[in-house]
Each structure stands twice: as structure tokens, then as C-alpha cells.
């Protein structure tokens, strides 16, 4: 379980992209970007661990739930296992004025991620 938690946290960290759009002013300070000044711009917190319905064959029925926090004024984009439509989405206005569809707060998703096997070389 610890290995899975570490993998998901690392993958979420690498997969998250904070997109600033077409920002013209690059002289932004942290105060211009973050909502809560005592928190990082994007961070993940542990919610719970427990049983879940496996998505793929040979997959464990144990899972972890993590909460991603966006503490910026910008949107975050990441890939998910499935398409989320209907009551799970909400219209958003991006910082550059464009409209977009986003997930509502507290929606559970299955993020798309890959674990790549690394071959080690022995000398």
C-alpha cells in the first residue's frame, strides 16, 4: 500500500501541469498567484485508504484516496481514466477570460498514470 501511495503521489506531482495560459506579465509574485499564502501552489493530501472496486483484472481491491489542492488562480490540467460529464462538471472562467469545463469540488476521479519499469545496469 505504501508503494502504491508513493507511486500515485509521485505520478500526480509529475503529471500536474499548472497552465498560466498566455500570460503577458511574467513579473508575478507568489502573492499574485496563490490563494492561501501559507500553502504551496499545488499539493496532494491523504484522505483515506480502504476497499474499492478494481478497474482492471489482477488489480487489488485496496485503494487510496488523495485530494489534490489547487492553491492558484490558474487551472490545472491532467488526464483521467474516463470522461466526466453531467453533474460532475461545471463551467469555469480561466484567468485569461476564456471559458472551460472543469470538475466540481469533491468529485472522485481515476487519474491516468503509468509506471515505467527501469532496467538497471550492473557493473
Amino acid at each position: 500500500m505504501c508503494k502504491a501511495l508513493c507511486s500515485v503521489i509521485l505520478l500526480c506531482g509529475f503529471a500536474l501541469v499548472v497552465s498560466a495560459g498566455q500570460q503577458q506579465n511574467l513579473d508575478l509574485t507568489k502573492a499574485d498567484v496563490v490563494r492561501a499564502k501559507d500553502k504551496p501552489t499545488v499539493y496532494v493530501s491523504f484522505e483515506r485508504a480502504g476497499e474499492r472496486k478494481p478497474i482492471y483484472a489482477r488489480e487489488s481491491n485496496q485503494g487510496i484516496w488523495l485530494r489534490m489542492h489547487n492553491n492558484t488562480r490558474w487551472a490545472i490540467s491532467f488526464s483521467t481514466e474516463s470522461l466526466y460529464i453531467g453533474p460532475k462538471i461545471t463551467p469555469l472562467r480561466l484567468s485569461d477570460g476564456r471559458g472551460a469545463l472543469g470538475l466540481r469540488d469533491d468529485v472522485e476521479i481515476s487519474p491516468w498514470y503509468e509506471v515505467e519499469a527501469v532496467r538497471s545496469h550492473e557493473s
Side-chain angles (χ1 to χ4, degrees), residues 3 14 27 46 53 58 65 75 91:
K3 195 181 238 185
F14 288 122
D27 297 327
F46 176 80
K53 181 180 176 186
R58 301 183 340 182
W65 283 258

Side-chain angles (χ1 to χ4, degrees), residues 17-30 32-35 41-42 68-77 92-98:
V17 177
V18 179
S19 65
Q22 298 293 324
Q23 291 295 107
Q24 297 300 318
N25 180 5
L26 299 178
D27 297 327
L28 296 174
T29 66
K30 186 175 180 181
D32 295 326
V33 175
V34 298
R35 293 188 168 120
T41 53
V42 177
M68 184 182 67
H69 303 269
N70 179 7
N71 187 31
T72 72
R73 63 185 185 143
W74 298 318
I76 296 175
S77 174
L92 301 172
R93 180 74 46 204
L94 301 176
S95 62
D96 65 0
R98 291 179 297 144

Side-chain angles (χ1 to χ4, degrees), residues 71-113:
N71 187 31
T72 72
R73 63 185 185 143
W74 298 318
I76 296 175
S77 174
F78 55 92
S79 299
T80 60
E81 291 276 338
S82 30
L83 180 65
Y84 296 90
I85 56 175
K88 293 184 177 185
I89 62 168
T90 186
L92 301 172
R93 180 74 46 204
L94 301 176
S95 62
D96 65 0
R98 291 179 297 144
L101 293 177
L103 293 173
R104 292 186 183 277
D105 285 343
D106 297 323
V107 171
E108 286 187 13
I109 63 154
S110 294
W112 186 86
Y113 64 93

